[in-house]
Amino acid sequence: MSAGLSLHDPLEARHHQSSEDEVDVRRRALAEIDNAKFGWFHIKACLVAGIGFFTDSYDIFAINLCSTIMGYVYYADATGSAKNTTPTSIDMWVKGSTQLGCIFGQLAFGYLADRLGRKKMYGTELIIIIVCTIGGAFAGNTARGLSVYWVLFIWRFFLGIGIGGDYPVSAVLTSELATSKNRGAMIAAVFAMQGFGIVAAAIVSIIVLACFRTAVEGDQLMLDYAWRIIMGLGVVPGIIALYSRLTIPETPRYTLDVEQNVHRAARDVRATIGAAGHKTIDDVHEPLHSDHVQVKAQKPTRTEFYHYFKQWKHFRVLMGTSVTWFALDVAFYGVNLNSSIILTAIGFSGSGTPYHALIRISAGNIILNLLGTLPGYWVTVFTIDRLGRRTIQFIGFTMLLILFCILGFAYHQILDKSVAAFIVLITLAQFFQNFGPNTTTFIIPSEAFPTRFRSTCHGISAASGKVGAVVAQLGFFHLKDRGGKNAFIPQLIQIFALFMLIGLVFTWFVPETKGKTLEELSDELDD
């Protein structure tokens, strides 16, 4: 027995020493990422992810303009109020198809990015977006059965899968590559590119319409070219970003905690944030090549996921991120039902010749987004790492609750007595949606969960939000005209106020992630 101990004790000691060294390498590698100086790689990561979100928002917003243009093409021969207008039910489903696809994309890509890796999924969603955008731009009537709208519905559903997949993968990849000090600003900057995408879609539509002015004034059916070009140009930023997405390295955190390859993670750190300052990692990992020992974290499984989230302290966080995102998106997409009223109020309604009507709608949307949406996004970028995610979310939900109560209960009085006051209130609502829960609900799920579940949980939270968007776009779309055209909008805004209250209450369940490492937030410090 003593002989056996004398043989095995040195091996056990060696194994123990190697395990300690592996843990030491892991800690040093993570420290390098968390404390790195903000540099070109971080800027590049934001740009590569941000261009994807620019493309996403361009595609989502462009369909609003394209659907309006298509009315002048495919319903030019209709009579009465139906003339030059895409029917409400068709318009609703064409726009809502993208949101339906997003739900599937967010859940599927969120899960796969945890199972297969961030790198393997990054770029795949962009390829789907590029292919489906091109397909949608060439949509047409079939000889039997399907109209151009239904063909477009199919393409945009699959487009939604790609857009949905971009949410968890881009958010988590940016989060895992960011420094602790600047992580909030980096993720917020990626998300803020949506604002530029919205404005870009309107600018492109104005340019394309201007190019076709003479042709459209001679024959409005020439607009059939315009909407296809506007939609198709959405592939340009995606193509620009595709190579960088396909070649970006795996995040060291995923390599460490899921693939369990400590040494490759050390190399990934050098590949991501540069060789300078990595002597501490190199000194530890060089002698370990012959003795690779797995770290404690392991590949995610459904059983492990269940056991982790059946604990209240973990489930409450997922519940908080999901419910707050759902509540926000009900109002965020529902408020857009007011767009025609707002555009009329500021003198940019779609009246006059087809060309002038479409130009005014596009210009009006640029004005609306420059007033509230873009400032809200970028105020968040510059303040989130000082004020904190939870604080901004509390501020946003509180202000939206107040604003929606005012708008909902005094809607007609405000609109009848002061159009300017109505515009100011709507602009403030747009500002506090983006300097508030629209941005923070995207950021917090990318930080608050363990590496092995992080992408899945972000996908679940984002899909919950898109369920809210579907409720608003497909459910409330018909309610707004209950009792007459736009007659039910005041009551809808009151409902939105209720959802802001729900979001405010459930914000208590989400953690403050400001200034903390991802391992501190997910209790992985000792793994």
Side-chain angles (χ1 to χ4, degrees):
M1 181 69 69
S2 60
L5 285 172
S6 64
L7 287 173
H8 289 290
D9 284 350
L11 292 176
E12 291 177 0
R14 186 183 179 195
H15 178 89
H16 179 71
Q17 180 61 44
S18 180
S19 297
E20 288 184 345
D21 288 340
E22 294 275 359
V23 172
D24 190 41
V25 173
R26 179 178 185 272
R27 288 173 176 166
R28 293 184 186 219
L30 294 176
E32 290 283 357
I33 300 168
D34 291 329
N35 301 316
K37 183 178 179 181
F38 186 80
W40 167 242
F41 177 80
H42 298 103
I43 296 172
K44 180 182 176 183
C46 287
L47 287 174
V48 172
I51 290 175
F53 271 86
F54 177 97
T55 304
D56 297 347
S57 62
Y58 180 100
D59 287 333
I60 290 174
F61 182 76
I63 191 59
N64 297 328
L65 301 171
C66 290
S67 180
T68 302
I69 295 172
M70 289 171 73
Y72 287 96
V73 176
Y74 298 101
Y75 289 88
D77 296 329
T79 58
S81 60
K83 185 177 178 62
N84 295 331
T85 304
T86 300
T88 299
S89 58
I90 295 176
D91 182 66
M92 175 185 70
W93 281 105
V94 168
K95 294 175 182 177
S97 61
T98 310
Q99 308 298 346
L100 290 171
C102 279
I103 296 172
F104 290 93
Q106 286 160 339
L107 293 172
F109 276 79
Y111 172 75
L112 291 173
D114 279 338
R115 288 292 301 174
L116 304 179
R118 287 61 162 133
K119 175 179 171 58
K120 288 182 179 178
M121 302 310 299
Y122 208 43
T124 305
E125 80 291 356
L126 205 53
I127 292 172
I128 294 173
I129 291 171
I130 291 169
V131 171
C132 292
T133 299
I134 295 172
F138 285 98
N141 294 311
T142 61
R144 293 286 188 273
L146 293 178
S147 71
V148 61
Y149 287 101
W150 279 110
V151 174
L152 191 57
F153 172 92
I154 294 168
W155 278 115
R156 291 197 65 84
F157 174 81
F158 287 101
L159 171 70
I161 292 176
I163 291 174
D166 202 19
Y167 275 68
V169 182
S170 287
V172 167
L173 188 139
T174 305
S175 175
E176 292 179 353
L177 293 176
T179 66
S180 297
K181 181 181 178 181
N182 301 310
R183 188 175 61 239
M186 285 182 63
I187 306 170
V190 168
F191 194 65
M193 292 300 290
Q194 286 191 330
F196 290 123
I198 294 170
V199 173
I203 292 173
V204 168
S205 70
I206 289 175
I207 294 171
V208 172
L209 288 168
C211 292
F212 278 84
R213 178 173 184 174
T214 303
V216 169
E217 289 179 343
D219 179 9
Q220 75 178 55
L221 295 185
M222 293 299 290
L223 285 168
D224 196 38
Y225 291 100
W227 75 262
R228 296 176 189 278
I229 293 171
I230 293 168
M231 185 179 293
L233 286 174
V235 305
V236 174
I239 291 172
I240 293 172
L242 182 59
Y243 176 77
S244 295
R245 285 202 172 195
L246 292 174
T247 57
I248 202 166
E250 182 59 85
T251 70
R253 280 187 164 90
Y254 186 85
T255 308
L256 280 169
D257 294 338
V258 181
E259 293 184 346
Q260 305 172 348
N261 191 329
V262 177
H263 305 303
R264 202 184 88 186
R267 293 195 296 272
D268 287 344
V269 171
R270 290 194 298 278
T272 55
I273 57 179
H278 291 278
K279 186 175 185 301
T280 54
I281 294 178
D282 294 338
D283 289 345
V284 177
H285 98 275
E286 283 299 332
L288 294 176
H289 284 290
S290 60
D291 295 296
H292 175 68
V293 181
Q294 292 183 341
V295 295
K296 184 178 178 181
Q298 51 187 292
K299 281 277 187 178
T301 64
R302 286 189 292 271
T303 301
E304 186 185 8
F305 184 90
Y306 168 76
H307 285 297
Y308 183 85
F309 284 103
K310 77 176 183 179
Q311 301 177 58
W312 171 246
K313 67 175 181 177
H314 300 312
F315 177 75
R316 70 193 293 270
V317 178
L318 182 58
M319 178 181 68
T321 58
S322 299
V323 174
T324 52
W325 205 334
F326 170 82
L328 178 276
D329 271 11
V330 169
F332 182 79
Y333 287 91
V335 141
N336 289 331
L337 300 175
N338 264 319
S339 59
S340 62
I341 297 172
I342 302 167
L343 290 174
T344 301
I346 64 176
F348 285 88
S349 62
S351 58
T353 66
Y355 172 78
H356 288 100
L358 293 168
I359 287 288
R360 276 198 294 270
I361 291 172
S362 300
N365 278 294
I366 293 174
I367 293 170
L368 289 178
N369 283 285
L370 290 178
L371 285 175
T373 301
L374 271 175
Y377 277 126
W378 289 97
V379 169
T380 304
V381 172
F382 292 112
T383 61
I384 193 163
D385 285 315
R386 291 195 296 273
L387 296 178
R389 292 69 154 147
R390 201 162 177 252
T391 300
I392 291 176
Q393 188 158 306
F394 271 126
I395 292 172
F397 272 129
T398 301
M399 291 302 300
L400 289 169
L401 173 61
I402 294 169
L403 290 167
F404 287 149
C405 282
I406 295 171
L407 283 166
F409 289 100
Y411 184 85
H412 292 295
Q413 295 91 322
I414 295 170
L415 202 55
D416 292 341
K417 293 183 179 180
S418 176
V419 172
F422 179 79
I423 294 170
V424 168
L425 289 170
I426 288 292
T427 299
L428 286 172
Q430 290 177 328
F431 176 84
F432 282 107
Q433 281 177 330
N434 295 296
F435 177 62
N438 188 41
T439 304
T440 55
T441 53
F442 176 80
I443 294 172
I444 295 172
S446 69
E447 303 176 301
F449 301 102
T451 304
R452 59 195 183 277
F453 302 137
R454 187 170 292 128
S455 184
T456 300
C457 292
H458 194 284
I460 291 171
S461 303
S464 300
K466 281 296 178 279
V467 170
V470 170
V471 168
Q473 288 195 322
L474 303 186
F476 293 161
F477 201 89
H478 288 297
L479 281 178
K480 76 183 181 72
D481 294 324
R482 184 180 179 186
K485 185 174 178 59
N486 294 325
F488 202 69
I489 281 183
Q491 289 81 1
L492 283 180
I493 296 177
Q494 294 168 24
I495 295 172
F496 299 156
L498 175 61
F499 277 100
M500 295 304 94
L501 178 60
I502 293 171
L504 185 62
V505 170
F506 276 84
T507 297
W508 288 101
F509 294 106
V510 302
E512 177 53 72
T513 57
K514 178 186 71 172
K516 298 179 181 179
T517 69
L518 298 180
E519 287 64 44
E520 288 177 305
L521 291 166
S522 57
D523 296 326
E524 292 180 300
L525 283 173
D526 297 327
D527 285 0

